[in-house]
Amino acid sequence: GDSVTQMEGPVTLSEEAFLTINCTYTATGYPSLFWYVQYPGEGLQLLLKATKADDKGSNKGFEATYRKETTSFHLEKGSVQVSDSAVYFCAPRSYNTDKLIFGTGTRLQVFP
Amino acid sequence: DARVTQTPRHKVTEMGQEVTMRCQPILGHNTVFWYRQTMMQGLELLAYFRNRAPLDDSGMPKDRFSAEMPDATLATLKIQPSEPRDSAVYFCASGYDRDYNSPLHFGNGTRLTVT
């Protein structure tokens, strides 16, 4: 079945540091790929998405590129802020299913 | 901005009591999902519906959990009887079927504590 592997957290960074959160997936067919973010006490919010190979999704300074050859969708940001502290989830969605499959999530903590 | 609405936001109950959680999906969405989030297990899919029909509830303990969609604007998740191990945050999400490029939209969850 479909699955996602995310890097273990927590990831602890100083403000303005560079962020990478790794994500690899297995999915049938040609999935769409999503990153969601969860702030404390809230539900998951869509951060960005990519729907075909080599597409780059971007939002709020975050970027991720759909790498079909390595089945990866790593999240990056050039300069993190304290307000980026949250849990980040990678999720593929296969063409033949309604479901999103979530990884375990990666907690990011950014300190001033 | 259209939102998925969940009620209640918090629920504290004693073991053995019935718990009902409600979800109002975004108008026009035809798929509804129930997820449970715990520190140990992360996000688990409990059940999902398409056009109000249950399609997959394999993630749900059948002896005590039930999920229904009495109409297109309401989904419910019931636990009877509740147990301390059911303590978790329960999320509802809605979306469109067949458009796998579109995301799911999540509510803010119901935090359940069973004592």
Side-chain angles (χ1 to χ4, degrees), chain B residues 3-47:
Chain B
R3 292 171 180 251
V4 174
T5 303
Q6 289 188 248
T7 56
R9 286 297 311 274
H10 303 274
K11 176 72 176 178
V12 180
T13 191
E14 292 184 347
M15 184 173 66
Q17 297 298 305
E18 177 177 301
V19 175
T20 298
M21 291 169 270
R22 294 177 174 81
C23 167
Q24 181 176 0
I26 290 174
L27 190 65
H29 283 183
N30 67 336
T31 58
V32 173
F33 299 77
W34 284 103
Y35 287 87
R36 176 170 63 184
Q37 186 177 37
T38 61
M39 290 292 291
M40 295 300 294
Q41 301 295 330
L43 271 168
E44 303 172 272
L45 178 63
L46 297 177

Side-chain angles (χ1 to χ4, degrees), chain A residues 32 36 38 49 93 98-99, chain B residues 37 50 56 101-102 104:
Chain A
S32 290
Y36 280 80
Q38 184 180 27
K49 71 176 186 181
R93 183 178 181 183
D98 299 322
K99 294 186 265 191
Chain B
Q37 186 177 37
R50 185 194 297 153
D56 184 355
N101 293 330
S102 67
L104 294 185

Side-chain angles (χ1 to χ4, degrees), chain A residues 30-32 34 36 38 41-44 46 49 51 89 93-95 97-104 107, chain B residues 9 31 33 35 37 39 43 45 48 50 55-56 91 96-108:
Chain A
Y30 206 141
S32 290
F34 302 86
Y36 280 80
Q38 184 180 27
E42 298 184 12
L44 279 70
L46 177 68
K49 71 176 186 181
T51 59
F89 292 89
R93 183 178 181 183
S94 291
Y95 77 100
T97 178
D98 299 322
K99 294 186 265 191
L100 280 176
I101 303 301
F102 287 97
T104 53
R107 182 175 298 278
Chain B
R9 286 297 311 274
T31 58
F33 299 77
Y35 287 87
Q37 186 177 37
M39 290 292 291
L43 271 168
L45 178 63
Y48 91 94
R50 185 194 297 153
L55 287 192
D56 184 355
F91 288 104
Y96 295 108
D97 71 332
R98 312 296 171 89
D99 181 5
Y100 74 107
N101 293 330
S102 67
L104 294 185
H105 297 259
F106 282 77
N108 282 332

Side-chain angles (χ1 to χ4, degrees), chain A residues 20-109:
Chain A
T20 299
I21 299 179
N22 290 338
C23 168
T24 57
Y25 64 90
T26 58
T28 52
Y30 206 141
S32 290
L33 302 173
F34 302 86
W35 275 100
Y36 280 80
V37 59
Q38 184 180 27
Y39 299 102
E42 298 184 12
L44 279 70
Q45 303 173 26
L46 177 68
L47 180 60
L48 54 84
K49 71 176 186 181
T51 59
K52 61 182 187 294
D54 301 323
D55 260 6
K56 179 185 285 187
S58 61
N59 186 26
K60 300 181 181 179
F62 291 89
E63 295 182 337
T65 301
Y66 191 141
R67 300 290 187 201
K68 191 171 189 296
E69 64 279 9
T70 56
T71 62
S72 64
F73 193 50
H74 305 322
L75 183 68
E76 296 181 337
K77 187 174 185 181
S79 175
V80 294
Q81 306 299 313
V82 172
S83 57
D84 295 327
S85 298
V87 181
Y88 292 81
F89 292 89
C90 179
R93 183 178 181 183
S94 291
Y95 77 100
N96 62 346
T97 178
D98 299 322
K99 294 186 265 191
L100 280 176
I101 303 301
F102 287 97
T104 53
T106 302
R107 182 175 298 278
L108 171 65
Q109 297 174 327

